[in-house]
Amino acid sequence: MKKIFKGIKGIKIMGNEPLKKHTSFKIGGNAKFFIKVYNQKALLAVMKIIKKYKMKYLIIGEGTNILFSDRGFNGVVIKLMGSFRSIKNSGDVFLCGAGVSIKSFLNKAMKMGYGGAEFLTGIPGSIGGAVKGNAGAFGHAISELIEQLIILDAQLMKKIIPQEKILFAYRYSNIPEHSIIMAVELRMKKLSRRVIQSRIKKYLKIRWEKQPDNYSAGSFFKNPLPLSAGKLIEECGLKGMRIGDAMVSEKHANFIINLGQAKAQDVIKLMKIVKARVKKMKNVSLEPEVRIIL
């Protein structure tokens, strides 16, 4: 079956690849195919084969906001590499490949003397994933910076979509599920390195003080605004609750952490207990922020 992708230049294929190696949760079975794609031409070629054989597929960035099943993924997992990790700028507009890590983008912008995205400091994902989920912190979101997106749509056509044509909300965008974000234009502000470094240092300090450093997928539940998911979970006495090696963090209750050998089923069971307890005691329905692939 691996032969169907044979001859495509600009890719690296791995069969039965353990997904736990590619996620911050360190959880998940094997992907039937795990393909690293290094340019747009290769991506188009891979997607044509996927469409032809009607295969399941999934695009991942840094794997920081996802929980894979213990059974793995019976399809193709695509990781964007190469040109998808390039950053170019023309004045205050930065063209970032979807595979660029947030950390790399912030560092590059700072070196060029541009800021305005420091609120993203410490979020360990990729630019593409951040845009898809409208990532943010400290009262700001990445949608505030977006000029336009370059996507591969469901018909495998390359399209440029201006920011005003996309609906963004808290941890949400209406970018079609079967479109692939290839690059993003972000508008930054000219600032001194000293100011940018000061902001980054401040935000990192806040994160280090509040968030656990165990394996996790970041904040597990969306905040049911104006309430805090972490505070609700803590008030329900759930800090430290554990199933197997999956545990509600004692440092921050909105983190479900992997103590080392957690299974996806342990995380799911714990998630359901947390949701049920918060609903019963606080009459609030929590919604996962983490993408769960069963």
Side-chain angles (χ1 to χ4, degrees):
M1 195 67 178
K2 215 172 166 183
K3 292 178 182 177
I4 63 174
F5 296 104
K6 191 176 180 181
I8 299 176
K9 295 180 180 179
I11 66 172
K12 181 179 179 182
I13 310 173
M14 291 164 275
N16 293 316
E17 178 71 3
L19 289 165
K20 63 183 179 181
K21 288 170 55 178
H22 301 279
T23 68
S24 58
F25 232 150
K26 304 300 180 188
I27 294 173
N30 295 349
K32 187 171 184 178
F33 298 107
F34 190 95
I35 304 181
K36 293 182 178 181
V37 179
Y38 291 84
N39 57 62
Q40 291 186 15
K41 186 177 179 181
L43 177 63
L44 180 59
V46 168
M47 289 306 301
K48 282 181 177 177
I49 290 170
I50 286 171
K51 295 283 186 183
K52 179 181 178 180
Y53 290 95
K54 297 180 180 178
M55 304 170 78
K56 287 172 62 179
Y57 73 95
L58 190 71
I59 311 293
I60 67 167
E62 296 298 299
T64 56
N65 193 42
I66 195 165
L67 174 66
F68 279 109
S69 163
D70 300 315
R71 295 188 301 274
F73 187 77
N74 188 28
V76 184
V77 175
I78 297 171
K79 188 174 179 73
L80 302 178
M81 308 290 287
S83 66
F84 295 106
R85 298 198 165 199
S86 70
I87 305 171
K88 300 174 183 176
N89 80 297
S90 177
D92 60 356
V93 176
F94 283 70
L95 178 65
C96 296
V100 171
S101 72
I102 291 171
K103 183 178 180 179
S104 294
F105 168 63
L106 291 175
N107 286 339
K108 173 80 170 182
M110 181 175 66
K111 286 177 183 177
M112 301 293 292
Y114 287 94
E118 293 77 37
F119 59 87
L120 296 170
T121 298
I123 296 175
S126 65
I127 290 292
V131 170
K132 175 67 176 173
N134 196 20
F138 308 106
H140 296 280
I142 197 169
S143 55
E144 299 167 23
L145 309 173
I146 295 170
E147 289 286 298
Q148 60 185 21
L149 305 182
I150 301 171
I151 69 164
L152 192 68
D153 72 9
Q155 286 71 49
L156 304 185
M157 298 293 291
K158 183 178 176 180
K159 287 187 176 178
I160 297 174
I161 306 177
Q163 196 267 4
E164 58 268 22
K165 295 291 185 181
I166 306 164
L167 175 63
F168 287 103
Y170 172 71
R171 301 298 178 267
Y172 170 83
S173 76
N174 70 343
I175 298 166
E177 194 64 32
H178 294 290
S179 293
I180 299 171
I181 300 170
M182 296 193 293
V184 186
E185 276 192 2
L186 301 169
R187 186 173 293 276
M188 304 290 280
K189 299 174 184 176
K190 193 68 178 173
L191 290 171
S192 74
R193 288 191 190 183
R194 182 181 57 80
V195 170
I196 298 167
Q197 285 175 330
S198 175
R199 290 179 180 177
I200 288 175
K201 187 176 179 181
K202 178 183 75 172
Y203 289 135
L204 278 177
K205 185 173 184 291
I206 292 169
R207 287 187 177 276
W208 286 336
E209 288 174 350
K210 291 186 175 181
Q211 298 181 0
D213 58 4
N214 309 76
Y215 299 139
S216 78
S219 296
F220 200 91
F221 297 100
K222 296 178 183 179
N223 287 320
L225 300 175
L227 304 173
S228 158
K231 188 176 180 182
L232 290 169
I233 296 166
E234 183 175 353
E235 288 174 352
C236 289
L238 291 163
K239 269 189 173 182
M241 175 168 278
R242 177 175 173 178
I243 292 180
D245 261 7
M247 187 177 83
V248 177
S249 171
E250 293 179 331
K251 189 172 185 180
H252 192 309
N254 197 21
F255 280 69
I256 292 179
I257 60 175
N258 174 8
L259 296 173
Q261 301 297 323
K263 302 292 185 185
Q265 62 183 359
D266 300 330
V267 176
I268 298 297
K269 286 177 183 176
L270 190 54
M271 176 192 75
K272 289 178 178 178
I273 291 169
V274 170
K275 286 183 68 175
R277 182 81 63 88
V278 171
K279 180 64 176 176
K280 182 178 180 180
M281 295 180 67
K282 299 291 185 178
N283 196 30
V284 175
S285 297
L286 293 179
E287 181 184 347
E289 183 174 327
V290 172
R291 191 175 180 191
I292 300 170
I293 309 296
L294 298 176

